[in-house]
Amino acid sequence: MKIGIFCSANNSIDPVYFEKTAELGRWMVKNGHSIVYGGCDTGLMECVAKAVCEAGGQTVGVIPSIVEKGGHASDHALVKVMCDNLSDRKALLLAHSDVLVALPGGVGTLDEVFTVAAAATIGYHHKRTILYNINGFWNSLVALLNDLQAKGMIRGDWRRFVAVAESLDEIGSFL
């Protein structure tokens, strides 16, 4: 499968996120998967792409022109898909992926998760985003989604569109 990755481009985060991200990259290659990711040379984006490349896997980087102009396009993006902006990047990540995995991240990662989930809820696609809950990173988001659902703000079960995985085995069970 082509697994889209949403994640932080920040280098100043807990080292456990880097360890688990590299582990995920190696696991994907071992299981015959490739990645589609944001194409930056920093943070978890660079970490996962480097791990995939070092394990002999395929990477597709979807790179906004501002990232390239700023000199932050990753050398680990074996295939580069250039785009104009973040909206284009989200659309291309979705189009080129079979499923999406969200690693720890910030506002951009949340934007990506909810863009994909919202489009799925109204039938634009049938792809799921998996929150890889490293060290409970996504617990507060899960609580928020549960609260929104309890208040009637989400029709049906939000887990039809967003899954939560605590381990690589759980990620595998959603593929």
Side-chain angles (χ1 to χ4, degrees), residues 12-25:
S12 301
I13 57 177
D14 191 323
V16 73
Y17 300 140
F18 288 96
E19 294 164 20
K20 292 292 189 178
T21 295
E23 182 181 90
L24 172 68

Side-chain angles (χ1 to χ4, degrees), residues 77-150:
L78 301 177
V79 175
K80 293 181 176 157
V81 177
M82 302 309 295
C83 62
D84 290 331
N85 55 52
L86 295 177
S87 294
D88 291 343
R89 180 164 79 176
K90 287 186 295 188
L92 288 164
L93 276 162
L94 179 59
H96 288 281
S97 300
D98 299 310
V99 65
L100 300 116
V101 172
L103 300 169
V107 172
T109 303
L110 289 171
D111 177 45
E112 292 163 335
V113 167
F114 285 115
T115 296
V116 171
T121 65
I122 55 178
Y124 283 109
H125 63 82
H126 301 288
K127 298 175 186 180
R128 181 183 263 177
T129 299
I130 302 164
L131 303 175
Y132 188 15
N133 199 24
I134 298 169
N135 280 12
F137 182 84
W138 294 113
N139 287 350
S140 57
L141 180 61
V142 170
L144 174 62
L145 290 168
N146 285 332
D147 185 52
L148 290 170
Q149 188 167 331

Side-chain angles (χ1 to χ4, degrees), residues 9-82:
N10 190 345
N11 288 321
S12 301
I13 57 177
D14 191 323
V16 73
Y17 300 140
F18 288 96
E19 294 164 20
K20 292 292 189 178
T21 295
E23 182 181 90
L24 172 68
R26 293 186 296 271
W27 176 88
M28 287 190 294
V29 174
K30 179 181 174 188
N31 288 280
H33 307 301
S34 59
I35 68 163
V36 182
Y37 75 112
C40 289
D41 67 353
T42 57
L44 299 181
M45 278 194 227
E46 180 70 355
C47 178
V48 71
K50 181 179 178 186
V52 168
C53 285
E54 288 177 352
Q58 181 69 22
T59 61
V60 176
V62 182
I63 306 168
S65 57
I66 196 167
V67 170
E68 184 183 45
K69 286 177 189 170
H72 287 289
S74 174
D75 291 335
H76 292 101
L78 301 177
V79 175
K80 293 181 176 157
V81 177
M82 302 309 295

